[in-house]
């Protein structure tokens, strides 16, 4: 708090610390910074659709209203070109803006807080090499009272754990590296950890799945069935590298993460992440008993599956390696929250396309074809067929996600 | 707390723009570079033909069409026919679409009569063929059968009229020949009998059930090697089959 | 007034199979490439996904994926004595449209032309003497099968062709085509699982001494990853193949087998819904400067380029050359000129069989799932004394049971009423046809030029096609039809109906979209438009891909050879032309 006041005071006086306290041109500094920037996937939030990279302006929908991501190109007037190193680090690590204002945790600074200053300066060095883009963005689009930044003081007290990350001597260097990536720049928990009502991480459920922007980011702890416990290390590495493996195909925001970020990380780093995640084995509830095949929802769902889905995913749910994901035994399919499944069926999705696996196979949108009941029964069947076990899905859940203005066979008179 | 902010469009892949509308290449071009375009909910599904109202025919025309299709594919001991299948509705819908005005075809003049090998050269679009043809058909019927309209004829008389049209023995006044009209009627009736039910015909998949066509299925791997064995599953249309609805 | 755009290294007209192949090869060489396609972007998940792809009315009857005659068509007459009239509705052939072109909705039957096909004239004269040719204008291609062999192999591996080699490095292999040219490698996928009808056909064909083999198929027999890293799924025998896009990545197409890799490249741009009006030439007329195209708003644009590659459908390549003034137009009365010369087609026939007590399930099918026999194709048999040259492949490839268009009934069945209904029901599952797909040899009178009367929507003259089957081809087709009937008889049907082909050729019933020729390749610029590398003799920085290059047609589907020629030409451009732009063959 006092530091913030001091920084604000300096800014008010107009004292400008030199913007380039570190030699920004150092090749190895910039290279390291580029790698870390990719690891942090800064480009994903700081680029608007149709906009220049890192120039900000992306609308980020939060439960409290909208924010716009700021311009982090080195433009002096509208970007961060005039920031001092301290101001940059303070923003990313502590959530304090250049004018001393508190930043909304859409910027996941609690995660970046775990990065050492040297890493953040390397990122700064890389960002400084980008073309400056003039794009004035007013980030705060929240409605009252959330637009009062001082309220974040309270939020930080509850949710900002400033415990630094220290290597665990009982674990391998690889495990520690993996933890650094996951808990730090990778900020995996920003999506994969469920949130409290205040929008902070529910740390007791770390990485056990969370909802963000209408997607359910699944459980990525090392538990079997719902988590990635059944995945081999090789599978995890291949998934992060290409987004496409036999048992799963990254969709929605995760496909973007793969293409923008994880596909460009080293194999060693990806393996470290895999080792760390698989080591997380929190206690979990036993699998629910699968719905009986004779259940009327299952019978209907099976008929729909046979007619609509089997041509790609096969009648036995095995899919086709690296093209159509396997549904049998799938952890994505068996998450407690079926939001992602509902979205994928209604609006379709496209697999990540990387140079290693360039196909980018797409699942079509079925919203025009299936009623809410049919989507619900279909997903219930998938979640309970072939030895899978997970809660059934209701038509009202589908209806909420579909929304009133989306395609619906009821509008065409073809719904039964 | 709502989970459901589906308002954000997202572009997968690299951050550079996939679509450029306008700009140097002009407002009427779609330039694609850097990745394949993709959007949530993107789809180009068929447009079903709704309800029972008429889109092209007036009721008396529709009644005549209904009577015609009932003879072309009659209800008999093999099951329902074109009338029960809704072929008249199908034809009404078809005429209301691009087919009705031959919108996809080359309809520029000059129009000349050619050889049969050169294909249809008439300037008459289906709207004209049907409207004029129906009027001429009724005129022919009245002239031949003591003033009775086609719908008032006995079934055997209706068949005789249709046969005369098919063979070119019936002479229609005006630019639309009886043979030309009959050929289009027959073609459209067959289409209506066997097309997906979403288009207004083939109700309850009557046509498909007659011949044993399983409909809009896409995976026969489990039956490829079962030579000479009937296929066991019922037909499914694009908008499903009764088994898609939960029972009980 | 056309607005001028920044120049590109390569301008490609049309983004179908050859456009995608050339674009991918030349972007790999580091060039900036723009492909201009007059149709829309097409994509598996949006344009033809599993939810609405299986719609016969929409795609097979209304022809949603095809070129609309209102956008472009041609005029037609059988001979010089007639006045050509517009093909107002496509019938006999169905040109494609859009990104992927006909590569989206082809059946997937994929062949290598025979070694003798490439030097047809020389070969036949060697074997039978010049009199055998008569007044047919068949020619050698200027390139040999051996030169193309590595590129056949390349295309087959890119497309994931399923089949069984019959001739591997000179050694005949059991189960394959014993007549085929020698292959350096087997097919990348094994043959498809067979359905009942082709199995019966193969047994019957063998019983009468012929040599059937699985039709080489671009419908994948299993999951496959091609050399570009693109993945195909296995064909699911849905029976919605020709005229339809494939919903599950199992039919080879530009979309599945090339475009995802091509579209990721920064040095490639696809410009859709823009129609190229002509290739522009400089003052000398010997160098192309680029193309002029019009967008959907009606604005004209000039796209300059150093290299122009014409990758439209064969017929429209010919029209492009005529409208652009590249090469001398052919005049049948003087037999001079080259553009439009040697247009040909495909000469087909069929034998239909009606069985008792058999269930064929015709809806379980795919576009290239079948058995073929080459015993009477090309010059695989001795023509001495037969009175014709050429031949036809015998095929049992029942591609579908879609009931609007595929409803066999015995001859004499009334067209409507209860009798029609009964015959339709009884025959639907217990009848099928076998076909002959035959060579189409060229004559002076079969050619393409520009129509004097009819125009397109821009006011440019339509193409005019003058064509009829030569007597030679009719005799050939009847001969092979009799052989088909022999096989049919051996299958023991209740009834056999032979449908032979006759003249005059009609554009009304569908026959084949294998329109070839009109911009043919050859060794002599007086009788060909292109040299052996598909480079224009007249304008060396223009290349013309596709089956418009075929001097005559053989008894096969053209696409496999189209693909090989595209890779062959791309290789020549990369290794020779780019290092030394100019004519690659001295005339």
């Amino acid at each position: 708090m006092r530091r913030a006041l001091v920084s604000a005071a300096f800014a008010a006086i107009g004292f400008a610390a030199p913007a380039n306290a570190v030699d920004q041109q150092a090749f190895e500094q910039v290279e390291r910074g580029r790698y870390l920037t990719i690891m942090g996937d800064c480009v994903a939030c700081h680029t608007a659709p149709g906009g220049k990279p890192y120039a900000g302006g992306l609308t980020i929908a939060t439960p409290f209203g909208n924010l716009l991501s700021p311009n982090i190109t080195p433009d002096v007037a509208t970007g961060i070109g005039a920031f001092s190193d301290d101001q940059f680090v303070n923003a990313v690590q502590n959530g304090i803006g250049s004018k001393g204002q508190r930043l909304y945790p859409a910027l996941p600074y609690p995660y970046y807080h775990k990065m050492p200053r040297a890493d953040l300066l390397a990122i700064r060095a890389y960002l400084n090499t980008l073309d400056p883009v003039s794009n004035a963005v007013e980030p705060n689009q929240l409605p009252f009272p959330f637009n009062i930044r001082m309220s974040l003081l309270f939020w930080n007290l509850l949710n900002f754990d400033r415990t630094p990350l220290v290597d665990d001597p009982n674990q391998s260097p690889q495990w520690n590296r993996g933890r650094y990536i996951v808990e730090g720049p990778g900020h995996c928990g920003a999506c994969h950890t469920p949130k409290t009502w205040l929008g902070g991480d529910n740390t007791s459920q770390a990485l056990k799945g969370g909802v963000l922007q209408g997607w359910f980011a699944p459980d990525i702890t090392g538990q079997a069935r719902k988590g990635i416990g059944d995945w081999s290390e090789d599978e995890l590495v291949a998934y992060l590298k290409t987004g496409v493996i036999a048992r799963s195909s990254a969709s929605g925001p995760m496909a973007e993460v793969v293409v923008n970020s994880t596909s460009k990380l080293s194999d060693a780093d990806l393996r470290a992440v895999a080792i760390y995640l698989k080591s997380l084995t929190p206690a979990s509830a036993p699998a629910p008993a699968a719905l009986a095949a004779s259940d009327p929802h299952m019978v209907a769902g099976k008929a729909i599956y046979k007619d609509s889905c089997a041509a790609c995913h096969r009648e036995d749910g095995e899919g086709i390696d690296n093209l159509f994901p396997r549904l049998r035994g799938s952890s994505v399919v068996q998450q407690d929250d079926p939001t992602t499944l509902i979205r994928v069926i209604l609006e379709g999705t496209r697999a990540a396309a990387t140079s290693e696996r360039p196909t980018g196979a797409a699942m079509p949108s079925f919203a025009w074809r299936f009623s809410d009941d049919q989507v619900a029964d279909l997903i219930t069947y998938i979640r309970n067929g072939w030895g899978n076990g997970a809660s059934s899905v209701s038509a009202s859940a589908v209806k909420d996600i579909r929304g009133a203005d989306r395609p619906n066979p009821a509008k065409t008179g073809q719904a039964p | 707390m709502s989970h459901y902010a589906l308002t954000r469009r997202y572009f997968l892949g690299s951050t550079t723009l996939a679509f450029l509308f306008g700009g140097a290449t002009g407002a009427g071009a779609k330039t694609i570079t850097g990745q394949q375009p993709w959007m949530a909910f993107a789809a180009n599904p068929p447009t079903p033909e709704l309800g029972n109202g008429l889109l092209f025919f007036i009721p008396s025309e529709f009644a005549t069409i209904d009577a015609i299709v009932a003879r072309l594919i009659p209800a008999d001991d093999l099951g329902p026919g074109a009338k029960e299948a809704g072929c008249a509705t199908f034809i009404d819908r078809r005429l209301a679409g691009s087919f009705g005005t031959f919108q996809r075809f080359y309809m520029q003049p000059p129009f000349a009569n050619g050889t049969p090998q050169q294909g249809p050269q008439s300037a008459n679009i289906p709207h004209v063929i049907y409207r004029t043809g129906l009027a001429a058909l009724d005129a022919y019927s009245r002239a031949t059968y003591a003033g009775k309209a086609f719908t008032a004829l006995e079934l055997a008389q209706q068949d005789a009229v249709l046969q005369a049209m098919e063979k070119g023995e019936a002479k229609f006044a005006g630019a639309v020949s009886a043979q030309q009209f009959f050929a289009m009627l027959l073609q459209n009736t067959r289409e209506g009998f066997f097309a997906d039910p979403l288009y207004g015909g083939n109700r309850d998949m009557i046509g498909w059930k007659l011949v044993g066509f399983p409909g809009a299925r896409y995976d026969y791997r489990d039956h490829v090697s079962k030579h000479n064995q009937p296929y066991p599953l019922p037909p499914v249309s694009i908008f499903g089959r009764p088994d898609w609805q939960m029972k009980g | 007034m056309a607005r001028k755009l920044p120049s590109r290294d390569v301008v490609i007209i049309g983004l179908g199979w050859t456009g995608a192949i050339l674009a991918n090869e030349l972007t790999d060489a580091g060039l900036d490439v723009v492909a201009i396609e007059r149709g829309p972007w097409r994509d598996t998940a949006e344009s033809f996904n599993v939810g609405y792809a299986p719609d016969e009315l929409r795609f097979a009857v209304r022809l949603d994926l095809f070129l609309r005659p209102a956008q472009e068509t041609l005029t037609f007459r059988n001979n010089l004595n007639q006045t050509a009239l517009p093909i107002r509705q496509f019938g006999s052939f169905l040109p494609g449209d859009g990104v992927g072109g006909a590569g989206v909705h082809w059946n997937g039957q994929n062949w290598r032309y025979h070694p003798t096909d490439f030097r047809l004239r020389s070969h036949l004269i060697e074997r039978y003497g010049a009199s055998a040719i008569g007044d047919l204008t068949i020619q050698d291609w200027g390139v040999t099968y051996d030169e193309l062999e590595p590129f056949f192999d390349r295309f087959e591996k890119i497309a994931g062709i399923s089949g069984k080699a019959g001739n591997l490095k000179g050694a005949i292999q059991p189960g394959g085509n014993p007549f085929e040219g020698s292959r350096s490698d087997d097919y990348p996928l094994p043959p498809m699982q067979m359905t009942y009808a082709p199995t019966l056909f193969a047994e019957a064909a063998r019983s009468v001494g012929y040599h059937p083999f699985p039709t080489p198929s671009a419908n994948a027999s299993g999951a496959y990853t091609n050399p570009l890293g693109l993945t195909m799924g296995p064909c699911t025998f849905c029976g919605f193949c020709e005229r339809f896009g494939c919903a599950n990545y199992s039919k080879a197409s530009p979309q599945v087998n090339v475009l995802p890799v091509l579209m990721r490249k920064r040095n490639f741009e696809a410009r859709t819904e823009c129609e190229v009006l002509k290739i522009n030439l400089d003052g000398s007329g010997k160098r192309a400067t680029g193309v002029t195209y019009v967008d959907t708003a009606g604005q004209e644009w000039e796209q300059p380029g150093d290299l122009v590659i014409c990758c439209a459908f064969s017929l429209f390549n010919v029209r492009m050359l005529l409208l652009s003034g590249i090469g001398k137009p052919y005049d049948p009365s003087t037999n001079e000129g080259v553009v439009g010369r040697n247009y040909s087609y495909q000469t087909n026939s069929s034998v239909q069989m009606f069985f008792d007590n058999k269930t064929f399930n015709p809806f379980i099918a795919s576009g290239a799932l079948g058995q073929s026999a080459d015993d009477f194709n090309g010059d695989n048999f001795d023509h001495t004394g037969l009175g014709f040259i050429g031949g036809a492949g015998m095929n049992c490839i029942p591609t579908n049971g879609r009931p609007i268009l595929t409803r066999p009934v015995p001859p004499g069945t009334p067209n409507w009423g209860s009798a029609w209904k009964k015959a339709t029901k009884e025959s639907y599952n217990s009848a099928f046809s076998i076909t002959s797909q035959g060579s189409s040899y060229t004559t002076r009178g079969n050619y393409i030029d520009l129509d004097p009367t009819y125009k397109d929507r821009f006011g440019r003259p339509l193409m005019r096609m003058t064509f009829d089957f030569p007597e030679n081809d009719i005799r050939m087709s009847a001969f092979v039809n009799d052989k088909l009937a022999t096989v049919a008889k051996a299958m023991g049907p209740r009834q056999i109906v032979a449908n032979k082909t006759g003249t005059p050729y009609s554009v009304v019933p569908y026959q084949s979209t294998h329109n070839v020729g009109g911009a043919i390749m050859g060794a002599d610029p007086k009788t060909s438009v292109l040299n052996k590398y598909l480079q224009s003799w007249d304008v060396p920085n223009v290349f013309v891909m596709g089956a418009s290059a075929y001097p005559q047609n053989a008894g096969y589907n053209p696409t496999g050879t189209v693909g090989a020629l595209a890779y062959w030409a791309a290789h020549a451009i990369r290794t020779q032309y780019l290092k030394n732009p100019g004519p690659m063959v001295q005339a």
Side-chain angles (χ1 to χ4, degrees), chain C residues 135-435:
Chain C
D135 59 2
L136 296 171
T137 57
I138 56 180
Q139 292 176 202
D140 293 354
W141 292 43
V143 70
T144 66
Y145 174 87
D146 287 339
E147 287 175 298
L148 289 179
E149 203 286 327
F151 303 96
F152 277 119
D153 182 67
R154 173 100 182 136
F155 180 72
E156 287 167 5
K157 290 180 166 134
I158 292 287
I161 304 300
S162 304
K164 177 96 179 64
N167 181 337
L168 209 45
K169 301 191 175 73
I172 302 295
Q173 311 289 312
N177 181 4
F179 299 98
E180 70 187 13
S182 171
R183 306 168 55 93
S184 55
D185 200 357
D186 207 330
Y187 290 93
L189 283 170
M192 302 177 79
Q193 275 182 286
M194 286 295 138
T195 45
Y196 187 30
T199 306
L200 272 189
F201 168 85
E203 284 164 10
R206 265 189 286 276
S207 77
V208 297
Y210 305 154
H211 304 80
F213 54 90
T215 310
S217 168
N219 318 125
S221 62
Y224 173 74
T225 300
N226 81 0
L228 299 178
L230 296 170
T231 308
M232 297 176 79
C235 174
T236 51
F237 312 99
C238 70
F240 289 94
C241 219
E242 80 270 38
R243 307 193 185 191
F244 297 80
C246 177
N248 57 14
Y249 299 79
S250 58
K251 176 165 72 177
S253 67
Q255 269 76 357
V256 173
N257 299 75
V258 181
L259 287 178
V261 162
L262 176 63
M263 297 310 301
R264 290 165 55 78
K265 294 173 173 175
R266 295 273 177 272
N267 53 338
F268 176 72
E269 191 184 303
R271 225 171 273 162
T272 62
E273 304 190 76
C274 293
E275 180 147 6
V276 174
L277 299 177
K278 62 180 165 58
I279 301 171
N280 301 318
L281 304 177
D282 69 4
S284 71
K286 296 203 178 318
R287 193 187 146 69
T289 58
V291 305
T292 294
Y293 69 87
V294 64
D295 66 20
T296 51
Q299 170 68 47
E300 278 189 25
W301 300 89
E302 192 190 319
Q303 173 60 66
D306 294 331
L307 186 54
V308 175
I309 310 188
C310 217
C311 292
F313 179 63
S314 62
L315 292 171
F316 308 124
N317 281 342
V318 179
R319 183 168 182 241
M320 185 63 62
L321 295 176
L322 289 170
L323 290 175
S324 308
I326 297 175
K328 184 171 172 192
Y330 175 69
D331 181 348
S333 54
T334 60
N335 204 27
E336 281 177 15
V338 288
V339 186
R341 172 197 199 98
N342 273 35
Y343 165 75
S344 65
Y345 191 47
Q346 199 91 72
T347 319
N348 299 340
S349 78
S350 68
V351 170
Q352 195 177 38
M353 292 157 287
F354 296 89
F355 290 81
D356 287 328
N357 304 319
K358 284 212 190 306
T359 303
F360 292 112
N361 295 328
F363 42 84
I364 300 181
S366 101
L369 169 57
Q371 296 272 330
S372 302
D374 253 5
D375 297 71
F376 298 102
N377 209 344
D379 197 44
N380 295 342
F381 58 110
D382 187 355
H383 288 69
T384 306
L386 291 178
F388 64 85
I389 49 173
M394 294 186 286
N395 293 311
C396 178
I397 315 171
T399 63
N400 75 90
R402 301 185 295 260
I404 297 177
L405 297 177
T406 302
R407 270 172 297 102
V409 287
T413 304
N415 286 326
W416 50 283
S418 283
W420 171 87
K421 211 172 151 188
K422 183 162 184 285
T424 298
K425 181 186 169 72
E426 283 171 356
S427 308
Y428 172 79
N429 220 332
S430 54
F432 70 95
S433 292
I434 52 182
T435 57

Side-chain angles (χ1 to χ4, degrees), chain A residues 43 49-50 53 63 197 211 213-215 252 256 259-260 296-297 300 303-304 306-308 310-311 314-315 337 339 343 346-350 359 365 367-370 374 377 400-401 406-407 409 412-414 416, chain B residues 1 3-17 36-43 45-46 48-50 197-198 216-219 221-222 231 233 236-241 243-248:
Chain A
V43 77
W197 68 277
V211 176
Q213 300 205 319
W215 288 94
E256 286 181 39
V259 171
N260 289 335
H297 293 284
I304 299 171
K306 166 96 181 161
D307 297 346
S308 304
R314 289 178 47 142
E315 206 169 347
D337 184 325
T339 300
R343 273 194 81 152
L346 286 178
E347 67 182 60
T349 186
R350 156 159 273 161
T359 296
S365 163
W368 61 274
R369 191 183 199 194
F370 298 141
Q374 288 165 347
D377 287 348
D400 283 342
I401 290 182
R406 290 300 180 188
T412 63
Q414 296 299 303
Chain B
M1 185 189 310
H3 293 186
Y4 313 122
L6 288 188
T7 51
R8 175 183 170 215
R9 253 191 210 178
Y10 51 88
F11 292 86
L12 297 181
S14 77
T15 53
T16 56
L17 187 57
Q36 300 192 87
W38 185 87
M39 272 187 339
F41 290 103
E49 320 293 356
L50 301 173
L198 74 95
R217 289 194 175 286
Y218 219 80
D219 185 6
R221 280 173 290 189
D222 57 349
Y231 184 71
L233 291 184
V236 61
S237 69
I238 284 175
F239 282 98
R241 55 176 162 121
D243 294 323
W244 286 17
Q245 284 310 107
M246 196 183 69
K247 296 175 180 69

Side-chain angles (χ1 to χ4, degrees), chain A residues 230-321:
Chain A
D230 293 331
W231 300 34
S232 71
E233 254 177 50
D234 284 345
E235 282 179 301
L236 261 175
V237 171
Y239 178 85
L240 292 170
K241 195 123 200 109
T242 67
V244 176
I245 58 172
R247 67 163 78 231
S248 186
S249 200
S251 48
M254 189 61 196
E256 286 181 39
V257 168
V258 168
V259 171
N260 289 335
S261 178
T262 58
S263 64
K264 301 176 183 171
L265 301 182
S266 69
D267 281 0
D269 273 350
L270 295 181
R271 194 160 293 277
V273 167
I275 287 171
Y276 174 68
L277 289 176
K278 281 178 74 72
S279 76
L280 303 172
T281 45
S284 59
L291 263 186
S294 55
D295 182 296
H297 293 284
M298 292 287 282
V299 171
K302 184 173 178 179
I304 299 171
Y305 183 87
K306 166 96 181 161
D307 297 346
S308 304
C309 318
C312 292
H313 292 279
R314 289 178 47 142
E315 206 169 347
D316 58 9
E318 286 296 322
I320 300 291
D321 282 5

Side-chain angles (χ1 to χ4, degrees), chain B residues 7-91:
Chain B
T7 51
R8 175 183 170 215
R9 253 191 210 178
Y10 51 88
F11 292 86
L12 297 181
S14 77
T15 53
T16 56
L17 187 57
F19 279 101
L20 277 172
F21 290 98
T25 53
K30 199 176 273 187
T31 298
I32 306 166
T33 187
Q35 57 156 320
Q36 300 192 87
W38 185 87
M39 272 187 339
F41 290 103
N44 189 13
T47 349
E49 320 293 356
L50 301 173
N52 287 319
L54 295 180
L55 299 180
F56 175 76
F57 292 126
I58 59 177
S60 60
E61 290 172 331
F62 184 81
T64 310
I65 293 286
D66 216 18
I68 293 172
V69 306
R71 301 315 303 151
L72 294 179
I73 308 180
D76 58 16
D77 55 339
L78 287 179
K83 183 183 161 88
E84 295 74 30
C87 288
T89 302
F90 169 86
I91 293 174

